[in-house]
Amino acid sequence: MDLRGTVALVTGASSGIGAATARRLAREGVVVGLVARRWERLAALAEEIVGTGGAALVVEADLTDPVRAAGAVQEVVDTFGQLDILVNSAGVMLLDSALHASLEEWDRMVDLNVRALLHVTHAALPYLIAAATTAARGVADIVNISSTAGRVARPTSSVYNLTKFGMNGFSESLRQELLVERVRVCLIEPGVVGEVGDSMRGAAQRLVDGVEPLEPEDVADAIAYVVTRRRRVAINELCLRAANQTW
């Protein structure tokens, strides 16, 4: 499906999967709203996209604040007039045993991986439904970036597992609710991704030793595949592991 003329909002767009997804969608002709907390990185990405013939809007926002999350969605819609695709990529993974992890780290994961997801999705839904009704594609898309940690629980990742298992359940229920509205919901579950593996500590790092990680661009390609399917096709769940990852 041709995406030229559509508008996407990508959270967590300042780095990693979010930034790679914004670049990939821009190559498909999508106008991209770049949302994250780090203005300088967003501005550099927007300049890159515009320099290659695309269009992008920088929206600096802390999505754990429901008012600011709603404002970010509104800013994208006010600027471009519609919203066709929402990619919820913002997230954080802080792995350690329950004994050694801090409550602050647990709270950070719940705030960004769960609360921010809910804030943005709630604000975006009316505009996505409107796009599915009025835009030429006749469909809109929500893509939530989960993890293999939403399928398999492992040591050192109890609260991260909590957030991703929760995202999986939320996404499936939302998918069923939005069927009649022609808003597709897809859950992408990447395995070990390069930049994530590099940030692991101690026992968590030992889990990925010897695994050749995915690159953010691999996940971005999967997202592009999902949102370019014809209206009659809905990819509801896509698990994307590193080739030699066992779990």
Side-chain angles (χ1 to χ4, degrees):
M1 187 182 293
D2 189 345
L3 294 183
R4 286 175 294 182
T6 61
V7 177
L9 187 159
V10 180
T11 72
S14 59
S15 63
I17 293 170
T21 299
R23 292 187 187 98
R24 184 69 176 80
L25 293 179
R27 291 203 302 271
E28 296 284 341
V30 180
V31 176
V32 188
L34 310 172
V35 183
R37 287 180 291 186
R38 292 178 286 187
W39 170 267
E40 295 81 5
R41 292 194 179 191
L42 292 178
L45 177 58
E47 183 178 0
E48 176 188 336
I49 289 172
V50 171
T52 57
L57 173 71
V58 171
V59 183
E60 182 182 18
D62 179 357
L63 301 176
T64 64
D65 178 349
V67 174
R68 192 66 193 97
V73 172
Q74 193 64 54
E75 191 171 341
V76 172
V77 173
D78 288 347
T79 302
F80 300 122
Q82 65 192 68
L83 180 62
D84 304 271
I85 300 167
L86 170 63
V87 180
N88 283 309
S89 179
V92 63
M93 182 177 71
L94 304 169
L95 301 187
D96 210 340
S97 68
L99 177 64
H100 298 101
S102 68
L103 280 176
E104 180 184 14
E105 290 185 342
W106 283 5
D107 286 342
R108 278 187 63 197
M109 283 190 284
V110 171
D111 281 347
L112 190 55
N113 298 1
V114 178
R115 293 179 67 244
L117 165 77
L118 300 181
H119 297 160
V120 175
T121 303
H122 188 270
L125 279 176
Y127 300 110
L128 293 165
I129 292 170
T133 303
T134 62
R137 286 202 315 154
V139 70
D141 287 284
I142 298 172
V143 182
N144 292 331
I145 309 304
S146 182
S147 166
T148 52
R151 301 168 65 93
V152 181
R154 302 282 288 182
T156 75
S157 62
S158 56
V159 174
Y160 187 66
N161 285 137
L162 169 71
T163 66
K164 295 304 183 180
F165 271 80
M167 178 188 285
N168 292 10
F170 171 71
S171 299
E172 173 56 19
S173 180
L174 193 64
R175 180 191 72 81
Q176 296 178 35
E177 291 177 17
L178 296 175
L179 283 174
V180 69
E181 307 289 357
R182 284 289 187 177
V183 177
R184 302 181 295 199
V185 179
C186 180
L187 188 73
I188 303 285
E189 299 161 298
V192 179
V193 180
E195 62 170 20
V196 173
D198 294 342
S199 68
M200 289 181 175
R201 299 173 297 190
Q205 179 61 51
R206 289 193 291 274
L207 290 175
V208 301
D209 283 346
V211 174
E212 182 181 359
L214 301 168
E215 295 296 330
E217 290 74 17
D218 298 322
V219 184
D221 284 343
I223 294 167
Y225 175 80
V226 166
V227 299
T228 52
R229 296 310 89 198
R230 294 187 181 276
R231 173 179 167 173
R232 66 177 180 269
V233 180
I235 308 298
N236 302 137
E237 186 174 5
L238 198 161
C239 183
L240 187 71
R241 286 185 172 93
N244 60 339
Q245 180 178 337
T246 58
W247 68 95

